[in-house]
Amino acid sequence: MVSNAKQTTTACVECKRMKLRCDKKIPCNSCVRRGCSNICPTGKLAPGKGTRFILDGTEQLHAKIQKLQSRVLQLEDALTAVYAKISNEPHPLLDGLGDPDLSIPRSAEAETAIQEATDSLGTLAIEELGNTKYFGPSAGTETLFQAASSNFGDTPNPACPSNRLEPQLRRLSSQFPFALDYQKGSLTSILQYFPERLKAWSLCELYTEQFAWSYTPVLREELIDEFFAPTYRALEIIRQSPQEAETLLRPHHCAVLFLVFAIGTWVDLTQTQYWEEADHFYELGRACISMQSVFEAPECATVQAIHLVAIYYELRGVASAATLHPSWILLSFASKIAQSLGLHRDISRWNLDLKTVNRRRHMFWDMICNETFTSMSMGRPIGIRHSYVDAKIAADVGMVNSDGQHLMGFFRWKHEFVSSLYSDVVETLLVATPPKYETILQLDRKIREVPIPAHLNTLFVNEQGGNFDHITPRLLFHSSLPGLIRSALMLFVHRAYFSRALQDTAGDPTKTPLMSPFAPSFLAAYRAASWIAKCQRVFWKRFPELLTRLWHSWTHLLSASMILGCLVIYNPSCLMVDSALSDLNSICAMYETAAANTVSLRTKSGWKLLQRIQHSANAAYTRHKNSGSTRSEIVIHSPDFGEDELAMFGGQTRLLVSKSSSSKSTPSPPQNLPQNLPQPQEIQQPQATLQLGDVNLEVHPSLVQFLNTAPVTQFASFNELDTFFGLDQAAPPAP
């Protein structure tokens, strides 16, 4: 029998490469057995690790696998969208999606687009003399404050010593906190500046009732027992024997008192020129801190005094910056002093009395709460990682309902919230390595799952019942602050992806942000902003004068305004636009009144920026309504509100250059994306349909999956989402 197989005189190339015996046929038995007969005798497999077998080297086979993987992903997305219409639970076939052995990676283009949104350094602000300030990825609001405050260089600076003080005290105040030339007799010189006992008591009560419902470096009981009463008893003795001042008065205790007087004066609604007296007490507090070395002789009162200085900076603002930059530095400094005192460790092991233990715990966690929020606001690291802390939360002050049941107090809830959650957020958002978007959605879920006690979430119930006539600021704010804190945290987590969802779809009239891969962040940010707006509107209705003097509200409102305004500007055809514009205009009305009745540089700078947002949003809304076009017929106009502001708000890499402290800051042109990376809007993303009442929305499948995995307490059914899409004007529950 004659064989038809051809033969060669030498071994084939692949057998030579693999050092195999070749029978010199075409194809040879070795190549046939290994499944690569098509390359015999002159071809060879691509060299490299794991290429001994054909399954690892055939390009056609890998291409087919990639096509099949892409097809499986499309089928998974379609199944998710279809099954969501009949059930709130995921389909059984999708249960294994979290298994790394079963998961299929998304396309390189989609992964690049999602990763690109997290690849943000933030903004570097450079002044004329070369001074720089860094605003991290989560510092979008503070970056806008920095840009908007450049025209307020002539604003009075509370850091300038008052002429009402003696020269020695002015020098000590200006040297805060590094005074090295303290001379005896300075304590005697401050005696004349202590207010009368009755007025001092009144200022302490104002501090406690009008301000200390949010941050409380000094609890009322401690303020009276450890600071007010001992100091004023000592003053009575010193007036008879002035030489006793150096032994009876403690400088940092006096500093705490003067700073409490400053904040009490700031929130004294009976005074019109309140800032002058408040600045006076503030300068005295700084001078007293400089009378005792914060490096060689720190004490608990040192931490409390520096914390109070940081709070006053937040209230007042300074001419050099309307941001929280000075406060962040001071709080980081206070954190280091607290560590030197062992406040971060479990003090109960030293067998101290219960009162001392609780006071130290409250002092530490209240400072950590403020520092953590300020660090998130500035996009900078915190002074101490939570892994170094084992200090327990202080025992509750004590809240008892009508049935005699003990209820959790606000401060305990806040401290536990920060202890259990904020560290995860800080370690995720502020580290050098950007997080994956899946990690962001996991954070979102953890935040929503933190329970808020019913008695701390009654703001809108009280509003509907009309029970605000005799309610105190403390009770009113404590009925909503947990929800407000959670909403503010949601904005930190989602703002970068909200901005990206708008940017990705702004130039395409056939797409909406709900079709973006970041649709979950778009919806979450909108919900949080809407809730903040409605919450602050209730505060304003009851305590407008007090709210005007507090920085917290206007910071949160500016963040919410950016979300609401940009939604209208960049997507005026979305279903939420009417509700968003209504909330934006109500915020602007509050901001305008507050800016006209305060000396706070933060509020004035915020209103300057907010005017541009409001003008652009109303113009975009009017233009869209007058056009009468459907979504596909809309002509995209270049927004009056610059894209740089949206990019800075989202934490994207930007350079902000100020020509001088009194001239307008000009941000550099936006940096273009690398040419070899695909633009997200060019990626063909599968779409799903979400039904809300009589409305069918085209959305990204990730949004459907996100809503399906939301806690039951947030979404009992898809019909409950009508409120958040503007189809229902009722006030939403806390996000």
Side-chain angles (χ1 to χ4, degrees):
M1 182 175 180
V2 181
S3 174
N4 292 327
K6 297 180 181 180
Q7 280 190 315
T8 62
T9 58
T10 60
C12 71
V13 175
E14 181 62 16
C15 286
K16 287 181 180 179
R17 186 181 75 86
M18 297 299 297
K19 296 180 175 58
L20 298 175
R21 182 182 297 276
C22 182
D23 59 11
K24 301 180 182 180
K25 294 180 180 180
I26 303 176
C28 69
N29 287 332
S30 296
C31 288
V32 171
R33 185 175 65 254
R34 296 177 60 239
C36 56
S37 58
N38 60 323
I39 66 171
C40 186
T42 58
K44 66 178 180 177
L45 297 178
K49 182 179 179 181
T51 60
R52 189 173 183 87
F53 299 99
I54 185 62
L55 294 179
D56 296 302
T58 303
E59 296 181 1
Q60 296 90 339
L61 185 57
H62 281 293
K64 187 172 183 179
I65 292 174
Q66 188 172 3
K67 289 181 180 179
L68 290 174
Q69 286 181 337
S70 177
R71 182 62 176 164
V72 170
L73 289 174
Q74 293 176 5
L75 292 173
E76 286 178 352
D77 291 336
L79 180 59
T80 299
V82 172
Y83 197 70
K85 298 180 180 180
I86 60 175
S87 174
N88 288 334
E89 298 295 329
H91 192 279
L93 292 177
L94 301 176
D95 286 343
L97 293 183
D99 188 344
D101 294 332
L102 299 178
S103 62
I104 299 176
R106 297 280 173 175
S107 64
E109 291 84 0
E111 286 296 325
T112 299
I114 293 177
Q115 183 65 19
E116 191 181 315
T118 64
D119 238 349
S120 301
L121 292 176
T123 297
L124 186 66
I126 303 179
E127 298 178 357
E128 184 180 24
L129 298 179
N131 300 332
T132 61
K133 289 188 180 72
Y134 170 67
F135 299 88
S138 65
T141 303
E142 294 303 310
T143 309
L144 296 175
F145 272 123
Q146 172 76 16
S149 65
S150 58
N151 283 352
F152 291 99
D154 56 348
T155 301
N157 188 340
C160 297
S162 169
N163 291 328
R164 297 167 58 182
L165 300 182
E166 294 182 359
Q168 184 182 14
L169 294 179
R170 290 202 302 270
R171 184 176 66 255
L172 286 171
S173 176
S174 64
Q175 293 175 346
F176 163 84
F178 302 108
L180 300 176
D181 60 345
Y182 165 67
Q183 299 176 357
K184 288 190 174 182
S186 298
L187 275 173
T188 304
S189 65
I190 69 170
L191 299 179
Q192 60 181 310
Y193 298 109
F194 278 97
E196 294 295 329
R197 188 184 188 96
L198 185 60
K199 181 181 179 181
W201 180 272
S202 175
L203 292 176
C204 289
E205 290 294 338
L206 284 169
Y207 162 83
T208 302
E209 292 301 323
Q210 301 279 72
F211 178 81
W213 38 260
S214 179
Y215 293 114
T216 315
V218 191
L219 291 170
R220 185 181 186 279
E221 180 184 3
E222 183 183 8
L223 176 61
I224 301 304
D225 295 344
E226 301 296 329
F227 295 94
F228 179 83
T231 300
Y232 272 82
R233 281 198 301 267
L235 289 176
E236 294 177 0
I237 299 174
I238 293 171
R239 287 190 177 96
Q240 303 297 326
S241 304
Q243 67 276 9
E244 299 290 334
E246 297 290 338
T247 57
L248 294 179
L249 291 180
R250 303 171 65 178
H252 289 180
H253 281 63
C254 293
V256 169
L257 265 186
F258 279 124
L259 291 164
V260 166
F261 295 159
I263 296 174
T265 304
W266 187 271
V267 295
D268 184 0
L269 303 182
T270 64
Q271 295 192 40
T272 54
Q273 302 289 328
Y274 58 90
W275 58 87
E276 295 180 357
E277 189 72 12
D279 287 353
H280 174 65
F281 286 129
Y282 165 75
E283 295 298 335
L284 285 167
R286 287 163 51 107
C288 287
I289 294 176
S290 299
M291 292 179 188
Q292 176 180 318
S293 174
V294 297
F295 305 106
E296 299 175 3
E299 53 183 326
C300 288
T302 310
V303 177
Q304 293 168 306
I306 295 177
H307 188 181
L308 288 167
V309 172
I311 287 174
Y312 194 82
Y313 264 112
E314 294 165 349
L315 290 171
R316 185 68 156 94
V318 294
S320 59
T323 69
L324 297 178
H325 170 74
S327 297
W328 176 79
I329 294 176
L330 287 167
L331 288 168
S332 299
F333 184 36
S335 174
K336 294 303 179 184
I337 296 177
Q339 294 172 54
S340 73
L341 301 175
L343 295 180
H344 62 299
R345 302 310 305 266
D346 182 12
I347 191 175
S348 62
R349 300 179 184 179
W350 286 292
N351 298 321
L352 300 181
D353 62 278
L354 184 60
K355 180 183 291 186
T356 301
V357 168
N358 277 326
R359 286 179 178 176
R360 285 172 62 103
R361 286 173 175 173
H362 175 87
M363 180 196 319
F364 174 76
W365 280 110
D366 203 69
M367 178 201 64
I368 289 298
C369 287
N370 198 356
E371 187 204 6
T372 305
F373 175 80
T374 305
S375 295
M376 289 294 300
S377 299
M378 296 300 299
R380 301 170 184 172
I382 55 177
I384 178 173
R385 295 184 60 177
H386 285 239
S387 57
Y388 296 110
V389 177
D390 64 356
K392 293 181 171 57
I393 307 299
D396 248 336
V397 176
M399 294 183 62
V400 181
N401 62 9
S402 57
D403 298 329
Q405 182 182 5
H406 184 81
L407 303 176
M408 176 184 287
F410 165 73
F411 290 111
R412 184 172 182 85
W413 182 91
K414 182 181 75 168
H415 295 168
E416 288 185 353
F417 181 77
V418 170
S419 174
S420 63
L421 191 61
Y422 250 103
S423 59
D424 294 337
V425 177
V426 169
E427 291 296 326
T428 299
L429 298 183
L430 301 185
V431 293
T433 304
K436 293 183 178 180
Y437 190 55
E438 291 79 3
T439 305
I440 295 298
L441 296 183
Q442 292 172 5
L443 272 182
D444 176 281
R445 184 179 179 85
K446 290 180 66 174
I447 295 170
R448 296 181 192 280
E449 288 176 344
V450 175
I452 298 179
H455 64 283
L456 296 179
N457 194 25
T458 60
L459 178 66
F460 293 108
V461 175
N462 290 335
E463 182 190 27
Q464 294 168 5
N467 299 324
F468 282 175
D469 293 340
H470 304 290
I471 196 170
T472 64
R474 175 182 291 270
L475 291 177
L476 176 62
F477 290 120
H478 281 185
S479 70
S480 60
L481 276 179
L484 190 62
I485 292 172
R486 191 160 68 178
S487 297
L489 183 57
M490 295 292 281
L491 291 187
F492 282 128
V493 171
H494 288 292
R495 72 174 68 189
Y497 306 93
F498 170 89
S499 301
R500 193 52 188 270
L502 286 179
Q503 292 173 324
D504 290 350
T505 58
D508 190 342
T510 64
K511 293 183 179 180
T512 71
L514 296 176
M515 298 178 184
S516 167
F518 310 112
S521 290
F522 175 81
L523 177 60
Y526 166 71
R527 290 181 56 220
S530 179
W531 197 88
I532 289 173
K534 291 176 171 61
C535 183
Q536 297 289 359
R537 194 159 58 236
V538 175
F539 294 163
W540 181 262
K541 179 180 178 181
R542 182 64 182 87
F543 298 109
E545 294 182 11
L546 179 60
L547 206 65
T548 297
R549 304 188 186 186
L550 303 178
W551 70 274
H552 318 76
S553 300
W554 309 110
T555 301
H556 297 320
L557 282 174
L558 184 62
S559 297
S561 300
M562 279 294 298
I563 297 292
L564 299 170
C566 290
L567 185 152
V568 179
I569 294 170
Y570 287 88
N571 192 28
S573 64
C574 68
L575 290 176
M576 303 94 89
V577 68
D578 291 325
S579 178
L581 188 61
S582 175
D583 287 336
L584 175 64
N585 287 328
S586 67
I587 291 175
C588 290
M590 292 187 289
Y591 235 111
E592 182 178 15
T593 303
N597 293 278
T598 186
V599 295
S600 172
L601 184 57
R602 287 180 66 81
T603 308
K604 291 181 178 294
S605 300
W607 171 235
K608 174 186 173 184
L609 175 67
L610 199 53
Q611 285 177 288
R612 293 182 57 209
I613 300 176
Q614 184 185 28
H615 173 76
S616 296
N618 281 285
Y621 180 82
T622 302
R623 187 165 52 237
H624 170 65
K625 290 298 181 182
N626 291 341
S627 67
S629 303
T630 62
R631 174 69 189 174
S632 60
E633 296 172 342
I634 295 174
V635 177
I636 302 297
H637 295 267
S638 178
D640 299 327
F641 187 69
E643 294 183 2
D644 262 359
E645 283 82 354
L646 180 60
M648 287 191 293
F649 180 73
Q652 298 173 23
T653 306
R654 287 295 182 273
L655 190 65
L656 183 66
V657 181
S658 300
K659 294 183 179 180
S660 67
S661 60
S662 59
S663 64
K664 183 177 181 179
S665 297
T666 306
S668 64
Q671 299 180 3
N672 295 325
L673 299 177
Q675 296 299 321
N676 59 336
L677 295 181
Q679 295 288 345
Q681 56 263 29
E682 298 174 358
I683 301 171
Q684 297 298 322
Q685 295 288 351
Q687 301 300 323
T689 301
L690 181 64
Q691 185 172 0
L692 294 176
D694 298 330
V695 180
N696 291 324
L697 297 176
E698 289 188 19
V699 300
H700 194 273
S702 63
L703 178 59
V704 179
Q705 185 175 2
F706 167 73
L707 297 177
N708 276 334
T709 58
V712 177
T713 55
Q714 299 300 319
F715 300 110
S717 68
F718 278 101
N719 291 334
E720 293 185 8
L721 287 174
D722 291 0
T723 295
F724 306 108
F725 281 100
L727 304 179
D728 182 357
Q729 294 300 317

